[in-house]
Amino acid sequence: MADFVESAKNFVNSAVSRTSWEAQKQLRVRGKQGEIDKLMDQRHQLLDELAQIAMTQYQQGTLSDPQLSRVCAGIMELDHDVKNREVQLQDIKKEAFTPEQPVPVTDYSPPPFTPPSSSAASKPPAGPGYQGQIICPTCGNSVRANSLYCRSCGARLR
Ligand SMILES: [Zn+2]
């Protein structure tokens, strides 16, 4: 009987120490996760800064790296596309219901996003008959006709 009481006591003791050990572990996990989150925040801020520096240099024409220029051109073009969509969005919101007029049919689907690429293999078909594409005078790649910047080389198109 004494053995039973003793082992029951030990069981309770080990259960308590296990609980506090688990609590300690939870605290350490949360603390470490907090440290990681803080570092990731700092990393994001520096990445934003890096992007800002590159974008500024690109807009000033002092960015010499072609790969960075291409990414910057892609961002500029997306910004341009977003602005267009925002104007279109405001136009749609302003539309009033007029029963005698048919609903204007417009293509609202966003254009497919082509990630910046320098490889000739991913070039869209170019040449006469291909709608909505023009040839970049700087690098010869085809770009969307309404593009402000070439996605291949970053040159300003108009
Ligand atoms: Zn180009």
Side-chain angles (χ1 to χ4, degrees), residues 2-63:
D3 279 358
F4 171 76
V5 170
E6 201 54 39
S7 71
K9 239 193 242 169
N10 284 340
F11 178 77
V12 169
N13 280 344
S14 78
V16 166
S17 69
R18 165 133 202 199
T19 305
S20 69
W21 182 85
E22 290 283 0
Q24 279 296 316
K25 187 183 165 183
Q26 280 299 312
L27 272 178
R28 283 164 59 221
V29 165
R30 245 179 286 158
K32 200 53 73 182
Q33 188 61 57
E35 286 172 28
I36 291 169
D37 290 349
K38 239 179 247 167
L39 289 170
M40 290 304 283
D41 276 355
Q42 288 172 13
R43 190 176 184 276
H44 265 116
Q45 277 173 22
L46 285 179
L47 272 179
D48 281 351
E49 212 176 301
L50 181 68
Q52 272 307 319
I53 292 167
M55 285 303 286
T56 304
Q57 286 191 5
Y58 177 71
Q59 282 163 326
Q60 289 170 344
T62 53
L63 188 68

Side-chain angles (χ1 to χ4, degrees), residues 135-143 149-155 157:
I135 301 298
C136 171
T138 308
C139 70
N141 279 306
S142 67
V143 278
Y149 296 91
C150 173
R151 269 195 191 160
S152 296
C153 71
L157 298 170

Side-chain angles (χ1 to χ4, degrees), residues 95-104:
E95 280 170 17
F97 177 68
T98 41
E100 63 273 11
Q101 273 182 354
V103 175

